[in-house]
Amino acid sequence: MSPPSQNFDLERIWEKLANAIDAAGSGKEVLFLSKFAILASKELNDGQQVERLVDIALEDLT
Amino acid sequence: MAIGRSMYDDFPSYPFRRPPGLDGRPEQRPVVVVGAGPVGLTAAIGLARYGIPVVVLEPRDSVSFGSRAACISRRSLEIWNRFGAVQRPLAKGLPWTGGRSFWHGHQVLDFQMPHDEDQKYPPMVNLQQCFAEQYLVDALNECPEADIRWHSRLTAVKSTNDCVILSVETPDGVYDLEADWVVAADGARSFVREAVGLKLEGNSYEGRYLIADIKFSSEYPTERRAWFDPPSNPGSTVLMHRQPDDVWRIDYQLRDDEDSAIELQEERVRARVDAHLKMIGEAPDYELIWISLYKAHCLTLPHYRHGRILFAGDAAHLVPIFGVRGLNSGIDDAGNLVWKLAAVIQGWGGDGLLDSYSHERVFAARENIEQARKSTLFMTPPSRGFELMRQAALSLAVSNAFARALVNPRQTTAITFATSPIQTTEDESWESGPVVGATLPTFPIKMRRGHQLYDGHLIDLVGLDPTVVVAGGDEAVEMHLCKVASRDRLNVVILEQNDRADARPTVVVDHRHRARDLLGLDRPGAGYLIRPDGHVAARWRRFDPTRFDAIFALSLARGD
Ligand SMILES: Cc1cc2nc3c(=O)[nH]c(=O)nc-3n(C[C@H](O)[C@H](O)[C@H](O)COP(=O)(O)OP(=O)(O)OC[C@H]3O[C@@H](n4cnc5c(N)ncnc54)[C@H](O)[C@@H]3O)c2cc1C
């Protein structure tokens, strides 16, 4: 993966996502995450990269 | 299924006429078309326009029932126009250019199909299939070359080296008919396909749609509306189209837990329709006319030619209704096949044309199936993953324009053939214009007849013969083309920027100066060779007479 940029704080994003999942509320978490996945993919603007990330996310689900 | 008597019962029924074959007089025909659906009828009219006698076999005694394939594309209108059969469908049909989609009360899409002032026809018209069929039957009945045999069912097919022997069952008994060529347009359950042992390949989706035609008056304009998971029909997708005579067509998806037989009951349909109409703020007394159930299929034969038998329409391929590729692709089959069959029968084209029909239209079916398959994944999500991704796309589309591309219904457009045995590959670079294999665009032109200039459209100049369209101003090019045209079936069109007051009927005036932008014709003598079905066979920026003669021969599959 790419080297961390100066204003990217993974821990902060991790918290933001956790709070957002809570804000989405029960039953809407998956929809929220699905939307986020589409938005983030669009922003990445790199099909190969997105496919690689999808494969990584599928690993070790248990 | 019909609900009581309605306007759809007012189509004429045709009597049985005893054919000579039943009285021991054998018949040999150049072409027999099996099936008087829209595809068989279009093929028959086209063949009749070439002066070819054609027999159509049809077990029914009238046109089909219900709206069925109700959206007719610009491409289909252009094909009917070429066969002189566009006027009535166009006069009755309701033109439209776009539509809207809704999700949970939000508008998530407002789409427009490609349309501009250069076009002769709207991108789509809505017309119940029974009307389209009736107009085609009427047009065919006016052709002395054509003979529609109602009450006539094909029951056996036997191919020999030089003909096909067809057994036809009638109310008066069975007779045999010999055909040089057979167009198998006998629909989704094609008897011909079964009889020669061919099988459709691909998938069927389990998505089921219920279709209801209802009659009531409303001021709402003609456009395509779609509702995803609407409050009135939770978990379903609902489509609505306006049709002529105040008939509205509602299609709604059945959920997996719903039983088809129960949902087809009139009270059930009424309850669903009532809920839908209430949701959109229409609460009329409506007449329920027709109900039917529809399943999505993505199937095609691998080849459409089987010796002297040529498959077209639903007999050859089944495509989901989304994007209206079913009937429209069948009409495109007919447009592609007719000139090739005519050329082979009349001797101005080689037998390879019929192989090119199969090559091109199987390619088209696969393209159509791929587009329709994508639409189907969205309209009828087959799994939890697709369901979620659809919800995500719809939710994003409420406020994010980029996501609306995922919601767009991908309406049918003309197909570009990537390859074909009868087209060249491009070897020059072009700024614009249709590539080889694409269809000719149109724009308004003026045509000279005698001393007068008339308004017309570029596509009107493509008739039954191959057409060459060149930019005027190069005398040598024009002389060569006119020489070819004097001894062969070639229609020469010379595009001039300004009227040169030349009485030759082939000179047309590009008064809006579109040839450069839309065709890329930026120098005298540059041009296109257009097939009778409107596809580009070749194009050149620098004309070479020897090369032209070669590509002209190639485009007609002339062997030498
Ligand atoms: C209930 C229903 C709803 C539909 N809804 C839609 C829709 O919403 N959108 C869409 O795009 N498409 C829809 N379709 C499909 C559309 O109607 C077809 O794509 C279209 O009719 C195909 O035209 P065709 O001429 O190839 O075949 P068909 O219209 O099926 O015509 C075939 C003809 O062959 C005749 N025939 C059959 N067997 C024989 C035989 N042994 N001998 C002689 N003739 C024979 C039949 O009687 C029929 O007239 C629907 C179809 C049905 C049945």
Side-chain angles (χ1 to χ4, degrees):
Chain A
M1 296 205 197
S2 39
S5 79
Q6 302 225 304
N7 54 10
F8 188 82
D9 177 347
L10 183 58
E11 254 181 353
R12 211 184 124 151
I13 297 299
W14 184 80
E15 268 182 50
K16 168 103 187 165
L17 284 171
N19 285 323
I21 290 169
D22 286 341
S26 130
K28 296 288 177 197
E29 301 99 329
V30 188
L31 176 58
F32 160 72
L33 287 171
S34 304
K35 286 175 71 177
F36 183 75
I38 294 179
L39 278 171
S41 304
K42 160 93 173 31
E43 215 52 32
L44 264 174
N45 197 26
D46 177 344
Q48 276 187 345
Q49 177 82 332
V50 173
E51 291 193 23
R52 212 167 56 81
L53 298 182
V54 167
D55 291 338
I56 293 174
L58 267 179
E59 287 170 11
D60 308 323
L61 286 176
T62 47
Chain B
M1 97 189 129
I3 312 293
R5 231 197 110 75
S6 76
M7 55 190 278
Y8 293 161
D9 293 293
D10 295 338
F11 292 98
S13 74
Y14 295 93
F16 170 65
R17 286 209 197 84
R18 208 179 151 81
L22 277 173
D23 298 310
R25 279 175 287 149
E27 283 186 276
Q28 288 165 311
R29 295 291 176 147
V31 187
V32 171
V33 174
V34 186
V39 175
L41 291 168
T42 300
I45 291 177
L47 289 163
R49 294 286 181 244
Y50 280 93
I52 294 171
V54 55
V55 168
V56 182
L57 301 175
E58 171 58 54
R60 290 183 318 219
D61 67 347
S62 72
V63 298
S64 69
F65 200 94
S67 60
R68 295 181 64 170
C71 302
I72 294 160
S73 70
R74 172 183 286 145
R75 173 85 185 137
S76 296
L77 294 171
E78 287 175 5
I79 291 165
W80 285 344
N81 176 47
R82 203 161 297 138
F83 297 158
V86 78
Q87 243 172 352
R88 288 176 71 201
L90 195 61
K92 174 104 182 170
L94 301 177
W96 56 283
T97 57
R100 280 161 227 283
S101 300
F102 305 90
W103 176 68
H104 294 174
H106 303 282
Q107 179 170 311
V108 289
L109 177 71
D110 174 357
F111 76 95
Q112 288 293 317
M113 292 177 285
H115 191 49
D116 57 48
E117 56 175 19
D118 286 332
Q119 300 304 320
K120 181 170 184 190
Y121 298 117
M124 209 72 80
V125 302
N126 285 352
L127 180 67
Q128 294 95 320
Q129 187 172 322
C130 41
F131 285 105
E133 289 181 17
Q134 187 63 54
Y135 298 151
L136 294 169
V137 167
D138 292 345
L140 202 52
N141 279 335
E142 279 168 24
C143 301
E145 297 86 357
D147 175 3
I148 313 185
R149 300 187 180 173
W150 304 95
H151 308 266
S152 301
R153 177 182 298 277
L154 180 69
T155 51
V157 180
K158 198 174 137 218
S159 289
T160 72
N161 269 348
D162 34 50
C163 75
V164 184
I165 301 162
L166 305 170
S167 302
V168 186
E169 187 183 84
T170 74
D172 283 6
V174 179
Y175 68 97
D176 280 356
L177 187 58
E178 255 182 58
D180 294 341
W181 301 99
V182 171
V183 177
D186 52 346
R189 297 199 190 115
S190 172
F191 170 80
V192 182
R193 205 175 60 213
E194 291 274 303
V196 299
L198 299 179
K199 283 215 162 53
L200 296 171
E201 298 174 354
N203 317 298
S204 293
Y205 285 84
E206 262 315 293
R208 295 164 301 163
Y209 269 75
L210 202 140
I211 305 175
D213 280 354
I214 63 175
K215 189 170 160 106
F216 72 91
S217 83
S218 162
E219 294 302 309
Y220 199 87
T222 310
E223 57 175 33
R224 174 192 190 271
R225 280 180 289 171
W227 291 264
F228 297 100
D229 194 18
S232 60
N233 275 293
S236 170
T237 302
V238 181
L239 297 172
M240 193 167 175
H241 281 283
R242 183 188 195 120
Q243 305 181 97
D245 299 319
D246 289 331
V247 175
W248 294 78
R249 148 99 173 232
I250 298 179
D251 298 42
Y252 56 87
Q253 181 200 353
L254 298 184
R255 291 195 315 259
D256 288 346
D257 58 340
E258 288 170 327
D259 181 87
S260 301
I262 294 175
E263 295 305 323
L264 272 165
Q265 290 168 7
E266 193 183 331
E267 319 79 77
R268 282 297 300 148
V269 176
R270 281 192 181 278
R272 305 278 285 252
V273 169
D274 289 347
H276 176 71
L277 292 178
K278 194 163 159 229
M279 180 189 79
I280 62 172
E282 307 248 21
D285 267 343
Y286 59 86
E287 181 192 348
L288 183 59
I289 309 181
W290 178 71
I291 305 174
S292 126
L293 190 74
Y294 177 83
K295 266 193 202 152
H297 300 281
C298 287
L299 300 166
T300 178
L301 285 175
H303 304 284
Y304 296 167
R305 178 176 188 185
H306 186 82
R308 296 181 162 272
I309 301 172
L310 298 138
F311 289 87
D314 277 14
H317 47 75
L318 294 175
V319 186
I321 51 179
F322 314 113
V324 299
R325 292 177 173 79
L327 170 57
N328 290 304
S329 69
I331 292 176
D332 225 342
D333 293 342
N336 190 302
L337 177 57
V338 158
W339 71 270
K340 293 175 177 175
L341 201 47
V344 170
I345 291 170
Q346 295 171 337
W348 48 278
D351 179 86
L353 283 178
L354 301 176
D355 296 318
S356 80
Y357 163 72
S358 178
H359 178 103
E360 293 171 355
R361 294 311 302 167
V362 170
F363 171 83
R366 298 216 156 108
E367 290 272 297
N368 281 319
I369 282 173
E370 181 51 19
Q371 291 301 317
R373 187 189 65 84
K374 289 185 190 162
S375 302
T376 308
L377 291 179
F378 199 87
M379 300 298 292
T380 311
S383 67
R384 167 102 175 118
F386 282 97
E387 172 64 43
L388 259 177
M389 275 296 125
R390 180 174 89 166
Q391 271 184 44
L394 288 165
S395 171
L396 283 169
V398 175
S399 326
N400 299 275
F402 85 87
R404 291 176 196 144
L406 295 167
V407 184
N408 203 298
R410 309 164 193 275
Q411 299 292 355
T412 176
T413 50
I415 301 270
T416 296
F417 302 134
T419 64
S420 167
I422 58 164
Q423 76 191 24
T424 56
T425 42
E426 305 231 333
D427 54 4
E428 292 167 296
S429 81
W430 289 74
E431 297 272 309
S432 60
V435 298
V436 169
T439 48
L440 184 70
T442 196
F443 49 83
I445 44 106
K446 290 193 184 286
M447 292 182 266
R448 173 164 288 284
R449 286 237 173 77
H451 294 295
Q452 220 130 23
L453 278 180
Y454 292 90
D455 286 321
H457 258 274
L458 187 64
I459 47 166
D460 292 336
L461 301 168
V462 179
L464 299 178
D465 293 340
T467 297
V468 59
V469 177
V470 283
D474 187 325
E475 193 83 18
V477 173
E478 293 173 25
M479 279 194 21
H480 183 80
L481 293 173
C482 289
K483 200 174 80 206
V484 177
S486 69
R487 54 173 154 78
D488 217 321
R489 290 188 77 131
L490 179 67
N491 168 34
V492 181
V493 171
I494 296 160
L495 280 174
E496 290 288 352
Q497 296 278 308
N498 301 299
D499 185 18
R500 72 181 189 198
D502 190 323
R504 275 185 301 163
T506 50
V507 173
V508 303
V509 186
D510 174 22
H511 61 291
R512 290 204 192 158
H513 307 289
R514 287 287 197 255
R516 181 183 274 262
D517 283 355
L518 293 178
L519 300 179
L521 297 181
D522 56 359
R523 64 173 73 184
Y528 287 77
L529 177 61
I530 309 293
R531 314 180 336 182
D533 56 19
H535 282 278
V536 175
R539 61 174 178 168
W540 55 87
R541 296 184 66 214
R542 280 173 207 284
F543 184 84
D544 173 340
T546 318
R547 187 166 151 72
F548 176 81
D549 293 352
I551 57 179
F552 182 59
L554 174 79
S555 73
L556 294 169
R558 292 175 179 170
D560 38 272

